Amino acid sequence: MKPAPFIRHAPKALDEALKILAEVAPQDGRVLAGGQSLVPIMAFRLAKPAHLVDINEVAGLDKIASDGKTLSIGACVRHAAFHKSVTGNPLGKLLNVVARHIAHYPIRMRGTFCGSLAHADPASEWCLVAATLDAMLVARSTRGERTIAARQFFSGIMSTALAEDELLVETRLPLLANDARFGFNEFSRRAGDFAMAASLVTYRLHGGKITDAHVGLGGAEPSPRRIAEAEAVLNRQAPADTAFRAAAEAAAKAIDPLEDHQTNAEYRRDLVRAVVRRALESSTS
Ligand SMILES: Cc1cc2nc3c(=O)[nH]c(=O)nc-3n(C[C@H](O)[C@H](O)[C@H](O)COP(=O)(O)OP(=O)(O)OC[C@H]3O[C@@H](n4cnc5c(N)ncnc54)[C@H](O)[C@@H]3O)c2cc1C
């Protein structure tokens, strides 16, 4: 099928983009970033936006920058930007490891980091990164700017705190401590498919014991989130098999699993148990 008719707007400046978005949002006007989720949905006529505000030519949205505390990722930064490490901080390596799991090469060349967050697929790797690392998301409209914490941003399956006239202009990820360890694991039926469960973990060691554990889980519930029960099990323990298995068990118990045509709740809990344990086992600095 082909998309329903629409008008494409191609602003060159952010203020112009926000003004157009404010005008067309009430008529189901949408932002077009990489188009890797929106265009297929339009082709199936599951969405029929009358207007697209194409942000690809807006100056300044393709920047990655760091102020020494956070890494700022602009709205037009593609997944492929992370094929190499974008910062000497351990966060650069983390993003590089995760990026390889997103879809396929051509999709990574067009799809954007912020577009993934705005789309909020429960299985999105970048949504998991944002939730695990407590990202701050910067939304702008003609009404002004606000910063939204990741835990308040994701509000369900493909549902976020963004208002219809708001553009996610930037995501800020906290830089990791230089001695931080991280591990990532996901399960999908075929390489490049969306994950059926995924986990990202980060922690530090103090006197040989885990501190500041972050255990993130994606693909298992409507939105990715940190699992406090698993983090509590890990903190003050040695990074070893006993603690890793106990944390994985705690995560499997804590979730309210999604069920779909591929999985029931019991199977999803098993996947969660596996991906959390594997993420912890693979954790390195
Ligand atoms: C075959 C296939 C496999 C895929 N596999 C994966 C996968 O394994 N993991 C994964 O995470 N993703 C996967 N994707 C999705 C891909 O990563 C998309 O790039 C991503 O979901 C959306 O980013 P985008 O820039 O393409 O957004 P678009 O498709 O342009 O937009 C998606 C939605 O977000 C809104 N939007 C986009 N940017 C903004 C913004 N800055 N502010 C406000 N709203 C905005 C749009 O209006 C739209 O509603 C896959 C896609 C395909 C086609």
Side-chain angles (χ1 to χ4, degrees):
M1 279 170 75
K2 290 198 166 67
F6 60 87
I7 297 169
R8 172 176 169 266
H9 306 264
K12 303 277 189 285
L14 183 55
D15 283 353
E16 189 191 353
L18 297 177
K19 195 161 165 279
I20 299 169
L21 189 58
E23 280 163 20
V24 301
Q27 307 156 50
D28 195 21
R30 302 267 191 105
V31 174
L32 175 71
Q36 298 304 300
S37 293
L38 183 56
V39 171
I41 293 169
M42 288 172 62
F44 283 112
R45 299 212 175 189
L46 296 170
K48 298 182 204 168
H51 297 265
L52 290 184
V53 184
D54 184 341
I55 58 171
N56 285 280
E57 292 170 32
V58 173
L61 291 184
D62 58 350
K63 301 264 188 309
I64 299 178
S66 176
D67 61 3
K69 286 189 180 149
T70 58
L71 185 76
S72 155
I73 302 168
C76 287
V77 173
R78 318 274 168 195
H79 308 319
F82 304 97
H83 283 165
K84 60 177 176 26
S85 188
V86 296
T87 162
N89 181 267
L91 179 61
K93 189 171 165 200
L94 183 158
L95 296 170
N96 175 250
V97 166
V98 173
R100 292 181 224 150
H101 294 268
I102 301 172
H104 308 279
Y105 186 82
I107 292 164
R108 295 200 293 269
M109 294 301 285
R110 290 296 304 168
T112 64
F113 185 101
C114 288
S116 287
L117 269 48
H119 189 59
D121 189 296
S124 153
E125 287 84 357
W126 291 144
C127 294
L128 171 61
V129 166
T132 308
L133 303 184
D134 297 329
M136 298 300 287
L137 290 83
V138 183
R140 210 177 288 175
S141 70
T142 52
R143 295 172 288 118
E145 180 177 292
R146 66 187 178 122
T147 304
I148 310 164
R151 68 180 170 283
Q152 270 120 35
F153 184 81
F154 300 112
S155 54
I157 298 175
M158 290 169 187
S159 177
T160 73
L162 278 180
E164 59 182 10
D165 65 339
E166 280 182 318
L167 184 69
L168 177 57
V169 287
E170 171 189 339
T171 301
R172 295 179 190 149
L173 296 175
L175 294 178
L176 298 176
N178 285 331
D179 60 352
R181 294 182 170 207
F182 74 89
F184 174 79
N185 188 265
E186 74 172 44
F187 181 87
S188 55
R189 287 204 190 277
R190 297 172 307 184
D193 279 4
F194 278 100
M196 291 162 70
S199 178
L200 173 66
V201 298
T202 67
Y203 60 88
R204 298 177 71 184
L205 289 179
H206 185 70
K209 300 286 168 65
I210 294 174
T211 62
D212 193 23
H214 287 222
V215 177
L217 198 58
E221 296 182 303
S223 301
R225 66 178 175 105
R226 287 176 63 181
I227 308 293
E229 293 85 341
E231 294 171 354
V233 166
L234 284 173
N235 282 325
R236 292 179 297 282
Q237 300 299 315
D241 189 58
T242 315
F244 292 169
R245 283 181 186 274
E249 194 56 44
K253 270 203 192 108
I255 60 160
D256 182 9
L258 283 173
E259 294 189 88
D260 55 30
H261 65 285
Q262 297 192 87
T263 56
N264 60 22
E266 193 187 349
Y267 183 47
R268 189 85 72 182
R269 272 190 217 283
D270 271 349
L271 290 178
V272 165
R273 200 174 280 115
V275 294
V276 172
R277 181 174 51 77
R278 289 174 189 165
L280 285 163
E281 285 170 353
S282 71
S283 55
T284 54
S285 47

